[in-house]
């Protein structure tokens, strides 16, 4: 018997293709029909490996979470560990910004995501935060990371700074000054994230006993 001309369908292959669809077409582009076309199969054959679209989204969530490095959360220096973790977490969602709308309001069921939250809260506990404070910091970190990956502040201002100056002089001055600091179009976004992260870390330090 000859080998099949096409790679065998597996749950992992289906999930990887689904992530590619979301990356390229956004969350609304993820349909079982579109996914089947990408894989060169009939939509019905997907259900031999994935029970439902809901289960498929869980698999996509697991793939994305596999890219998040949790190793920094074991750092005995809580500030250094939290900084490295937050930057790595953001980098993953900058690579996959279209997954944020797909995953952000879903229940957290992916095993790796649950382990990540447990490790994060463990780090905050070792830093001296009470459990309730640690939960609030974890939530604030999610808002900062996912918000900064989803929204680009800079891209909202499409004119040259001088074009804003007649009516919005403070905005023009701020955009001009930020541009002078360099970093290209993403420079302000990156610096805004880093500022938010420093303020969050300072808030953690202030809550420690």
């Amino acid at each position: 018997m000859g080998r099949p001309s096409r790679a065998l369908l597996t749950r992992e292959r289906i999930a990887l293709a689904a992530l590619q669809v979301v990356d390229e077409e956004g969350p609304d582009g993820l349909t079982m029909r579109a996914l089947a076309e990408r894989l060169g199969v009939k939509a019905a054959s997907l259900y031999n490996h994935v029970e439902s679209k809901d289960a498929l989204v869980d698999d996509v969530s697991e793939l994305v979470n596999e890219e998040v490095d949790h190793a920094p959360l074991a750092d005995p220096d809580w500030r250094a560990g939290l900084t490295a973790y937050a930057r790595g977490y953001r980098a993953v969602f900058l690579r996959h910004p279209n997954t944020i709308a797909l995953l952000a309001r879903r229940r957290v069921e992916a095993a790796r995501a649950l382990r990540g939250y447990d490790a994060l809260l463990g780090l905050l506990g070792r830093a001296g935060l009470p459990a309730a404070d640690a939960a609030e910091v974890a939530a604030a970190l999610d808002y900062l990371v996912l918000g900064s990956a989803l929204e680009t502040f800079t891209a909202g201002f499409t004119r040259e700074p001088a074009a804003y100056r007649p009516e919005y002089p403070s905005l023009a001055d701020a955009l001009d000054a930020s541009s002078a600091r360099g970093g290209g179009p993403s420079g302000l976004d990156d610096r805004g994230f880093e500022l938010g992260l420093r303020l969050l870390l300072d808030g953690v330090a202030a809550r420690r006993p």
Side-chain angles (χ1 to χ4, degrees), residues 115-126:
R115 289 195 297 270
Y117 281 114
D118 190 66
L120 171 60
L121 293 164
L123 176 146
L124 294 169
R126 293 192 302 276

Side-chain angles (χ1 to χ4, degrees), residues 62-75 80-93 95-96 112-113 115-117 119-120 123 141 145:
E62 191 77 42
L63 280 179
V64 174
N65 278 287
E66 283 175 3
E67 296 186 32
V68 180
D69 184 8
H70 297 150
L73 296 174
D75 194 322
L82 195 55
T83 298
Y85 169 72
R87 288 171 177 165
Y89 183 11
R90 178 175 181 250
V92 169
F93 281 96
R95 290 195 295 272
H96 305 293
R112 184 169 174 81
R115 289 195 297 270
Y117 281 114
L120 171 60
L123 176 146
L141 185 65
V145 168

Side-chain angles (χ1 to χ4, degrees), residues 85-107:
Y85 169 72
R87 288 171 177 165
Y89 183 11
R90 178 175 181 250
V92 169
F93 281 96
L94 285 174
R95 290 195 295 272
H96 305 293
N98 289 337
T99 65
I100 297 173
L102 188 68
L103 306 178
R105 291 189 175 272
R106 288 179 64 80
R107 65 195 185 282

